[in-house]
């Protein structure tokens, strides 16, 4: 990687400003229901503390307060949880910029400080130069470990880098390494699995990966627009009419490039989408009125046959309505199969990551991206503003 990483910089006696992604889910009583994101930042936090930093100032957003102070989006509960995870006190400040904040940091008895929600200030998302300067004045050096917001040019992800030396944290470095290597230098055969609900969400990913991959497997809701483009009967399954031509173009382009695209050959279908709906397996023809909610057993076997030989797999998008247990079989069987393969397996996309974690296979994948939207933009080949902005090596 051509950008500075935390291991390249001298942290001794420095005050470090670090952007993390503490945008955690909470219940109505504001209890944190999943602390994966807090845990994910701990290695870099520990690294900074163990390498002599004097103070570590953490900043993040939580939810969408839209530039106003909204109590339910306070990061205070996160400070408490983080303190438990680190085994040391965390000083929580109830704002993120200004003189009072600066003074509180300079006199903090605790070495770890968490600032209040960045998005209480509209200047954060507007990437305001003054606000960026204020944030940067809080510290000597900046580290970005928030891959989940790296696709946004905000004050805390891009603006600050104009005023401070900027390095990637360990989590960000790992994301760039795995996603980047898979795209730039994949060990072949390189198979991409695309699923999820909509073709329109994934066009950029298909167009970027079609020339790079050896084979693209398409399942889930988006596959029915492709099947329709081939003239197949898809019943009432998910269809984006205005994307049929685009799907045709992609299929033609794949042929030109001699790239294989695999589509489902049988389906689990229902009359209406409900947990307790009566379901049946049908072949290539989906009868009128029926909705396909999962790939069928022949498709699972077909996809496995292709994946068996893969040396790199990138997977974005579930292959059925996995949130309902009865329709999660296709996604689960493919996930379990990949988990047993000796290959590089990379999972991108919020729902795909949630599916893998639902099946308790997190530890069996090479890399599960922590950034939903950011991982998609990375797979689309876009340059992420939070990454380009880091200081060059
Ligand atoms: P990711 O967040 O991993 O990028 P998406 O958001 O694109 O994935 O897609 C996830 C959604 O796709 C899930 O909510 C799932 O229920 C839905 N989905 C998968 N297969 C189907 C299908 N056959 N019909 C309708 N929706 C589907
Ligand atoms: Mg999603």
């Amino acid at each position: 990687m051509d950008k500075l990483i935390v291991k390249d910089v001298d942290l001794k006696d420095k005050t470090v400003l670090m952007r993390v992604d503490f945008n955690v889910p909470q219940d109505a009583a504001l209890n944190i229901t999943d602390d994966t994101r807090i845990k994910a930042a701990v290695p870099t936090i520990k690294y900074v503390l163990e390498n002599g930093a004097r103070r570590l100032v953490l900043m993040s957003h939580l939810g969408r307060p839209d530039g106003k102070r909204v109590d339910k989006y306070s990061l205070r509960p996160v400070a408490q949880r983080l303190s438990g995870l680190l085994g040391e006190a965390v000083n929580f400040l109830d704002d993120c910029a200004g003189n009072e904040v600066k003074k509180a940091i300079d006199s903090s008895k605790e070495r770890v400080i968490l600032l209040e929600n960045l998005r209480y200030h509209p200047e954060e998302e507007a990437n305001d130069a003054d606000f960026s300067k204020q944030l940067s004045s809080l510290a000597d050096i900046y580290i970005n470990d928030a891959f989940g917001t790296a696709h946004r040019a905000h004050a805390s992800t891009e603006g600050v880098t104009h005023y401070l030396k900027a390095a990637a944290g360990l989590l960000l470095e790992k994301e760039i390494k795995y996603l980047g290597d898979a795209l730039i230098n994949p060990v072949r055969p390189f198979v991409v699995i695309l699923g999820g609900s909509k073709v329109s969400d994934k066009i950029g990913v298909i167009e970027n990966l079609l020339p790079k991959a050896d084979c693209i497997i398409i399942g889930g809701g988006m596959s029915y627009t492709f099947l329709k483009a081939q003239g197949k009967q898809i019943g009432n399954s998910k269809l984006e009419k205005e994307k049929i031509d685009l799907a045709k173009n992609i299929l033609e382009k794949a042929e030109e490039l001699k790239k294989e695209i695999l589509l489902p050959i049988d389906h689990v279908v229902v009359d209406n989408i409900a947990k307790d709906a009566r379901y049946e397996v049908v072949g290539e023809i989906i009868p009128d009125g029926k909705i396909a909610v999962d790939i069928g057993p022949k498709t699972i076997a077909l996809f496995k046959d292709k994946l068996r030989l893969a040396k790199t797999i990138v997977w974005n998008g579930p292959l059925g309505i996995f949130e309902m247990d009865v329709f999660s079989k296709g996604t689960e069987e493919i996930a379990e199969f990949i988990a047993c393969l000796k290959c590089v397996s990379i999972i991108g996309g919020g729902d795909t990551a949630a599916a893998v974690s639902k099946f308790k296979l997190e530890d069996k994948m090479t890399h599960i991206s922590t950034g939903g939207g950011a991982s998609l933009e990375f797979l689309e080949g876009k340059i992420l503003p939070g990454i380009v902005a880091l200081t060059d090596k």
Side-chain angles (χ1 to χ4, degrees), residues 44-354:
T44 313
I45 294 174
K46 287 203 164 145
Y47 180 89
V48 169
L49 296 174
E50 281 161 11
N51 283 274
R54 189 150 63 122
R55 289 199 175 96
L56 174 59
V57 182
L58 299 166
M59 55 178 176
S60 176
H61 75 284
L62 176 69
R64 296 178 182 277
D66 288 331
K68 293 184 301 287
R69 189 169 274 274
V70 182
D71 286 344
K72 69 170 176 179
Y73 295 125
S74 173
L75 279 161
R76 192 179 286 276
V78 173
Q80 211 172 9
R81 181 66 64 95
L82 176 64
S83 163
L85 289 169
L86 291 177
E88 71 175 80
V90 172
N91 185 2
F92 179 74
L93 303 184
D94 78 347
D95 203 350
C96 63
N99 276 338
E100 292 306 309
V101 170
K102 173 99 180 105
K103 270 192 239 157
I105 291 171
D106 291 342
S107 62
S108 178
K109 285 199 231 29
E110 296 82 9
R111 41 177 199 166
V112 182
I113 297 146
L114 175 63
L115 305 180
E116 184 54 288
N117 197 338
L118 290 157
R119 293 192 187 168
Y120 279 2
H121 294 266
E123 296 87 350
E124 157 67 358
E125 287 177 87
N127 197 9
D128 178 83
D130 258 358
F131 185 71
S132 304
K133 213 183 266 179
Q134 278 187 50
L135 291 176
S136 68
S137 74
L138 302 176
D140 306 311
I141 186 161
Y142 166 78
I143 291 168
N144 189 351
D145 212 22
F147 182 69
T149 45
H151 59 318
R152 304 277 180 242
H154 292 167
S156 67
T157 61
E158 201 273 343
V160 287
T161 66
H162 296 279
Y163 309 102
L164 285 176
K165 187 187 265 185
L170 302 174
L171 184 63
L172 194 68
E173 184 199 2
K174 187 169 171 245
E175 293 277 3
I176 301 169
K177 175 174 148 36
Y178 283 111
L179 291 170
D181 277 2
L183 302 188
I184 297 161
N185 224 346
V187 187
R188 293 181 185 278
F190 173 26
V191 179
V192 174
I193 310 173
L194 291 177
S197 48
K198 293 199 273 167
V199 184
S200 46
D201 287 347
K202 307 289 160 84
I203 298 164
V205 180
I206 304 178
E207 286 180 340
N208 186 41
L209 295 187
L210 187 59
K212 300 187 204 297
D214 297 296
C215 170
I216 294 191
I217 290 175
I218 299 180
M222 65 183 275
S223 60
Y224 303 101
T225 302
F226 280 90
L227 291 170
K228 184 82 183 175
Q230 289 183 329
K232 303 240 161 77
Q233 249 174 270
I234 63 161
N236 270 356
S237 307
K238 183 134 205 143
L239 171 68
E240 284 169 277
K241 275 206 188 97
E242 66 295 344
K243 298 290 177 240
I244 296 175
D245 283 341
L246 183 86
K248 265 186 204 154
N249 289 343
I250 291 169
L251 293 169
E252 280 164 17
K253 188 153 174 216
E255 220 164 282
E256 257 169 52
L257 294 171
K258 300 203 166 46
K259 303 283 179 170
E260 192 174 17
I261 290 192
L262 286 186
L263 287 160
I265 50 170
D266 63 345
H267 316 270
V268 175
V269 300
V270 294
D271 292 314
N272 64 312
I273 299 174
K275 277 194 200 84
D276 53 357
R278 236 168 37 98
Y279 62 91
E280 58 182 315
V281 173
V282 300
E284 290 216 72
I285 296 169
I286 301 173
D288 284 348
K290 298 282 183 189
I291 306 166
V293 286
D294 196 6
I295 53 175
K298 284 188 183 141
T299 307
I300 295 176
L302 174 78
F303 289 180
K304 282 185 184 171
D305 258 352
K306 187 46 72 177
L307 292 167
R308 203 183 308 276
L309 303 170
K311 287 279 179 284
T312 305
I313 296 170
V314 169
W315 183 5
N316 170 250
L319 302 173
I321 303 182
F322 76 97
E323 295 92 336
M324 299 184 190
D325 289 345
V326 273
F327 312 133
S328 68
K329 194 164 189 270
T331 309
E332 181 165 13
E333 279 209 23
I334 295 298
E336 271 171 358
F337 188 75
I338 295 172
C340 296
L341 292 175
K342 283 195 176 58
C343 72
V344 176
S345 50
I346 294 161
I347 310 296
D351 289 294
T352 319

